[in-house]
Amino acid sequence: MNFPYSSGTVPVSTLGTPRIGPRRELKAALEDYWAGRSGAQTLLDSAARLRAANWARQKALGVTNIPSNDFSLYDHVLDTAVMVGAIPKAYGWSGGPVSLDTYFAMARGSQGAAGACAHGHDHGQEHGHGVPALEMTKWFDTNYHYMVPEFSAGQRFTLASTKPVDEYREAKALGYQTRPVLLGPVTFLKLGKAKDPGLDPLSLLGDLLPVYVEVLRRLAASGAEWVQMDEPCLVLDLDEPTRAALREAYGFFAHALPRLKIILTAYFGELGDNLDTALALPVAGLHLDLARAPEQLRPVSEKARAGLVLSLGVIDGRNVWRADLPKLLDALEPVVRRRGTDHVEIAPSCSLLHVPIDLEREIELDPDVKSWLAFAVQKMDELTTLATALAGGREVVLSKLMASGAAADARRASAKVHSSAVAARLAAVTPNMTQRRSPFPVRAEAQHHRLRLPPFPTTTIGSFPQTAEVRKARAAHGKGELGDAAYEAFLKQETAAAIRWQDEIGLDVLVHGEFERNDMVQYFGEQLSGFAFTRHGWVQSYGSRYVRPPILFGDVARPAPMTVEWWKFAQSVTHKPMKGMLTGPVTILNWSFVRDDVPRSLACRQIALAIRDEVADLEKAGAAMIQIDEAAIREGLPLRRADWDAYLGWAVESFRLCASGVADATQIHTHMCYSEFNDIIAAIAAMDADVISIETSRSKMELLEAFVSYRYPNEIGPGVYDIHSPRVPSVEEMEELLVRATQRLRPEQVWVNPDCGLKTRKWEEVRPALVNMVEAARRLRPGT
Ligand code: GLN
Ligand code: ZN
């Protein structure tokens, strides 16, 4: 038998590691290359250095199953599409090696700068000339975005890139025996999109498998003993054809390469009703996510055939908390005893791609909070500690285990985590706090009477261009080069100018522009207790875009008003209504690393109470309209349908809790930057915002259909201006979109606004576009 480890030790895997480099080296290398400041070889050299450093780091930390091909210049799903030659015709590839230019054209489009949505989730879409990028979408329920493979009728696959083999050999030349990672063929097809109606991506499996076999054959010929195949689709609701496809694929591999060992990795949840399918596949190992679904350990270890290697994903790869190692060992020891050290591995729940790299660099973090955290490097150390204890007994690593247990105890007991005042407030929440005083028609009348807006009122979503000057001033203020007073004066000047301009062009409801905000979540997190921020805690969102999610570590409270002074200043500049602008609790939650010691629902309710206080203070200050953005409600949907209702239940309740404290005549707006509402329209309606703005311009209003067929009763601003593009839409275009909207909705329901905030756009684009938008609205008004 040819296991990659000798019995008596327990191997440690990472499944995948962050690619970006501890100092975001990959971003710099990519952006230099894209800007023409460096050549291809420089980029490739930087990438090779990052890979080498990654392997060396894992080796030094005692990782035994070091992955290769987990690196990517942009995205591993894109890499897979390129590997199998799934390159749409538009990119002009005609066989042979795929050039970097073709690769990046698929990632980013072939010309100009990519547009971005206001929260920075660029959709990679290009407009105007050139070839647009592939579509981009979220990788399962993470904040990582992948490029959606495209398949067309008559699709054939061919080996177009040997990246997995090249990187395996590269590691080998450096002295590392790695376990290459491939995205499995079934998940790959399921993540893709058929360009032609009637084409089922799964029907392409038969043509795809020989390409995979060719890659596997080359890996084996180069010396690989094991290959990691990621099939995270195994944690989704699967139909019978998909299960059959898994059987076909892995049967095919076992038949073609009987000696190559495949470890099948399923992560982001429990196998659930796919467990029997997974256990019956002819693979050598199976990885389980035991952070999300610890309860599956028992059934799996009882049912799994004796020879199957189980990879126990006990260290949370999706979150930043330090594990309680003694507690984990209590659960793991019986399993290891039963199955033997030869048939288990210790792993994170999923690839470490989703956590920041190294906690040690965070020298400004509160030392207590820091002692409760673990980033990728620290998680690797936890993995090897667990493995050592499992193989040789707890005594061998006693001091590490004690430190881990002590940190967990300290966190459980800390006054920084638990506030009795917050607990008391939460306990005092009553159902009527989630209920506006009157139903929508009564509120609408009170609001119309107070606001006296014209039909088809015009507004924007909140942010105005974050120009180079704004960013420069913020950076200078951050470094202490620009004093508080000077910075504030600068921001006031920008804000006042933006407001005067909105007034001048005739917008009906104004915004202050959000110049003072670094980020729509961070800005609030920094003012709430219970949140911590890192300096270097970057994780990849997509391509060269990284985010630094706030860390929600404790009970949330709002020590003081957060936006009221800015709102007051903004309203003092104009007689038109000025929207108060807040980020909603679900979005703050979904874009943060969330504590794992209480349910998400509870953390969300705490944030909701804090925002509720802010809403009340804005109302008291005189705000007639308050917008509470919930950009991330949809992306928080659980992977399994069966879990949707519970999530939507507390998400909607949290929104209502923060929004329902106001008088009938105070208008609550919400905003969501997407348009797929079919599945969640009942929940959206249950939020009962007086006005919702959504993203509809690119779908030509077709995506309003969910609202139409639901007979959505409240007011809606369907976006008429695609802010992802530098293009300035004409009056006629926007008028046509509005006409379509009025044909589908009651005209008095309709607001006029862009798809999203304008912070990523330039003033030169925004000015003419909004002038046109105001004119388009005017043309619809009776008597004009
Ligand atoms: N008010 C925010 C802005 O305009 C909304 C951004 C978002 O929903 N992503 O920037
Ligand atoms: Zn938006």
Side-chain angles (χ1 to χ4, degrees):
M1 293 265 64
N2 192 11
F3 290 108
Y5 37 80
S6 58
S7 90
T9 60
V10 173
V12 171
S13 317
T14 55
L15 308 185
T17 53
R19 306 149 178 166
I20 63 184
R23 293 185 158 68
R24 291 183 288 157
E25 290 88 341
L26 184 57
K27 180 184 183 73
L30 285 168
E31 291 176 355
D32 282 348
Y33 174 72
W34 292 333
R37 290 189 293 269
S38 70
Q41 200 50 51
T42 310
L43 172 62
L44 297 178
D45 290 347
S46 303
R49 269 197 304 278
L50 282 168
R51 289 192 290 268
N54 244 337
W55 292 322
R57 192 186 299 118
Q58 292 175 81
K59 177 108 198 171
L61 287 163
V63 175
T64 35
N65 294 324
I66 297 176
S68 58
N69 197 44
D70 56 330
F71 180 84
S72 176
L73 282 174
Y74 202 92
D75 161 42
H76 58 276
V77 182
L78 176 61
D79 292 344
T80 310
V82 167
M83 175 182 92
V84 301
I87 303 172
K89 279 208 184 60
Y91 299 100
W93 176 70
S94 50
V98 181
S99 70
L100 271 183
D101 286 349
T102 304
Y103 178 80
F104 287 130
M106 293 170 77
R108 315 173 64 233
S110 66
Q111 241 173 59
C117 170
H119 55 300
H121 289 181
D122 192 314
H123 304 288
Q125 238 76 11
E126 292 283 324
H127 297 260
H129 304 296
V131 187
L134 290 177
E135 252 179 65
M136 182 162 76
T137 194
K138 283 167 67 75
W139 172 247
F140 296 81
D141 60 353
T142 72
N143 274 324
Y144 175 88
H145 299 68
Y146 71 90
M147 307 308 302
V148 180
E150 269 178 25
F151 309 122
S152 42
Q155 178 78 45
R156 300 301 307 264
F157 298 104
T158 167
L159 184 64
S161 151
T162 53
K163 176 180 179 290
V165 186
D166 303 342
E167 290 183 9
Y168 172 79
R169 291 166 150 265
E170 183 182 302
K172 200 170 181 200
L174 294 171
Y176 307 104
Q177 169 65 301
T178 57
R179 191 168 75 180
V181 184
L182 296 176
L183 175 58
V186 178
T187 300
F188 170 70
L189 288 175
K190 284 199 78 81
L191 293 179
K193 193 169 144 178
K195 273 317 218 181
D196 296 290
L199 173 65
D200 173 9
L202 273 189
S203 70
L204 303 169
L205 186 68
D207 193 56
L208 179 64
L209 292 179
V211 182
Y212 268 80
V213 164
E214 183 56 30
V215 174
L216 294 175
R217 195 167 270 145
R218 289 185 191 206
L219 284 170
S222 306
E225 293 160 14
W226 281 82
V227 171
Q228 172 183 329
M229 284 274 197
D230 287 353
E231 292 282 13
C233 73
L234 276 164
V235 308
L236 304 178
D237 297 320
L238 295 183
D239 52 15
E240 227 3 86
T242 308
R243 292 187 180 140
L246 284 160
R247 285 190 287 270
E248 180 184 344
Y250 291 88
F252 193 85
F253 296 154
H255 183 76
L257 294 131
R259 283 207 305 274
L260 182 71
K261 297 190 175 65
I262 291 179
I263 176 149
L264 189 70
T265 39
Y267 43 80
F268 301 148
E270 86 172 318
L271 289 163
D273 56 356
N274 299 320
L275 175 60
D276 290 342
T277 305
L279 285 177
L281 296 175
V283 289
L286 177 65
H287 169 80
L288 307 168
D289 183 336
L290 298 175
R292 280 271 176 93
E295 49 313 324
Q296 63 180 346
L297 179 55
R298 258 198 55 198
V300 176
S301 61
E302 281 166 14
K303 277 187 167 180
R305 63 176 189 277
L308 187 70
V309 173
L310 288 185
S311 163
L312 308 172
V314 286
I315 296 294
D316 195 345
R318 290 286 299 277
N319 214 331
V320 290
W321 302 105
R322 185 171 177 180
D324 185 343
L325 297 180
K327 204 172 132 200
L328 286 180
L329 281 171
D330 291 343
L332 291 175
E333 278 163 350
V335 179
V336 174
R337 224 172 292 130
R338 189 166 344 123
R339 298 192 68 82
T341 50
D342 270 356
H343 291 93
V344 290
E345 298 179 7
I346 296 300
S349 57
C350 60
S351 158
L352 294 172
L353 178 68
H354 308 288
V355 291
I357 298 181
D358 191 359
L359 181 66
E360 276 321 306
R361 295 194 65 209
E362 302 298 333
I363 50 180
E364 287 155 43
L365 264 181
D366 176 309
D368 284 337
V369 175
K370 186 172 170 180
S371 73
W372 305 329
L373 299 176
F375 293 176
V377 165
Q378 288 71 36
K379 284 174 189 284
M380 291 180 203
D381 192 55
E382 292 183 323
L383 293 166
T384 51
T385 303
L386 279 177
T388 311
L390 285 169
R394 296 191 188 200
E395 317 76 58
V396 195
V397 281
L398 198 58
S399 62
K400 284 193 179 193
L401 296 180
M402 284 172 63
S404 168
D409 290 340
R411 184 178 159 211
R412 272 191 286 269
S414 172
K416 290 181 179 169
V417 175
H418 306 282
S419 148
S420 48
V422 173
R425 256 202 101 185
L426 215 56
V429 170
T430 56
N432 73 355
M433 287 169 73
T434 61
Q435 189 73 48
R436 293 288 295 266
R437 283 164 219 179
S438 309
F440 173 73
V442 178
R443 298 187 325 247
E445 208 185 298
Q447 291 160 17
H448 295 165
H449 184 76
R450 173 179 185 185
L451 295 163
R452 306 213 165 276
L453 296 170
F456 306 107
T458 53
T459 189
T460 60
I461 304 305
S463 56
F464 271 105
Q466 293 256 331
T467 58
E469 296 86 82
V470 173
R471 274 175 287 145
K472 230 174 67 197
R474 179 175 310 130
H477 178 244
K479 285 189 215 135
E481 292 159 9
L482 185 67
D484 289 350
Y487 181 51
E488 191 179 319
F490 167 81
L491 291 174
K492 282 191 162 166
Q493 180 192 312
E494 291 291 305
T495 305
I499 295 169
R500 276 189 214 107
W501 179 78
Q502 294 169 68
D503 226 334
E504 239 167 69
I505 68 161
L507 280 157
D508 302 305
V509 172
L510 311 194
V511 298
H512 75 287
E514 303 181 24
F515 302 107
E516 80 288 9
R517 301 186 185 178
N518 36 18
D519 171 272
M520 63 184 284
V521 169
Q522 190 178 344
Y523 181 75
F524 291 95
E526 282 174 348
Q527 302 187 69
L528 293 168
S529 57
F531 282 90
F533 293 85
T534 64
R535 190 148 259 251
H536 308 282
W538 298 98
V539 292
Q540 189 178 14
S541 172
Y542 66 92
S544 67
R545 285 275 198 132
Y546 313 150
V547 293
R548 247 181 331 184
I551 297 172
L552 173 52
F553 66 87
D555 286 344
V556 177
R558 187 201 66 146
M562 304 183 281
T563 64
V564 174
E565 284 311 310
W566 274 111
W567 178 84
K568 280 195 205 158
F569 169 74
Q571 184 66 84
S572 75
V573 181
T574 178
H575 295 296
K576 295 207 172 139
M578 173 64 56
K579 280 194 277 194
M581 195 58 66
L582 305 174
T583 301
V586 186
T587 299
I588 293 180
L589 185 88
N590 281 340
W591 287 349
S592 300
F593 284 118
V594 178
R595 53 195 290 198
D596 59 355
D597 56 341
V598 296
R600 288 174 81 80
S601 55
L602 183 122
C604 197
R605 258 177 229 128
Q606 293 182 355
I607 305 170
L609 281 174
I611 302 292
R612 180 182 172 96
D613 294 344
E614 189 69 13
V615 169
D617 284 340
L618 282 168
E619 183 183 52
K620 221 181 293 157
M625 327 168 115
I626 299 163
Q627 179 175 313
I628 306 167
D629 293 329
E630 283 291 22
I633 280 215
R634 182 171 218 293
E635 65 184 56
L637 275 177
L639 294 172
R640 295 272 196 169
R641 282 259 171 185
D643 302 326
W644 282 23
D645 283 352
Y647 164 76
L648 289 170
W650 59 255
V652 169
E653 192 213 87
S654 294
F655 181 85
R656 293 176 60 120
L657 183 57
C658 78
S660 297
V662 295
D664 286 348
T666 302
Q667 190 168 60
I668 297 290
H669 291 231
T670 189
H671 164 70
M672 297 182 193
C673 10
Y674 42 82
S675 42
E676 298 139 45
F677 288 99
N678 283 314
D679 293 331
I680 55 166
I681 186 67
I684 300 298
M687 287 169 67
D688 198 24
D690 298 304
V691 184
I692 180 173
S693 57
I694 59 172
E695 176 172 321
T696 36
S697 75
R698 269 190 285 189
S699 78
K700 304 250 177 290
M701 299 284 158
E702 265 158 39
L703 292 156
L704 263 182
E705 229 36 75
F707 288 82
V708 177
S709 44
Y710 191 79
R711 296 175 184 278
Y712 181 83
N714 302 10
E715 293 170 36
I716 314 178
V720 292
Y721 163 16
D722 174 10
I723 61 91
H724 303 288
S725 161
R727 224 181 117 259
V728 174
S730 67
V731 178
E732 289 70 27
E733 264 171 70
M734 289 190 274
E735 190 186 350
E736 194 199 314
L737 289 178
L738 282 173
V739 169
R740 283 169 184 255
T742 55
Q743 289 162 350
R744 290 169 159 82
L745 303 164
R746 288 174 285 118
E748 64 278 14
Q749 269 182 297
V750 178
W751 282 64
V752 181
N753 50 256
D755 274 343
C756 191
L758 299 163
K759 83 178 184 195
T760 56
R761 296 264 64 90
K762 299 192 169 73
W763 274 109
E764 301 85 87
E765 300 150 4
V766 164
R767 280 198 198 96
L770 290 182
V771 166
N772 289 353
M773 188 186 87
V774 169
E775 176 57 23
R778 280 199 186 120
R779 289 194 188 168
L780 257 83
R781 288 177 188 160
T784 49

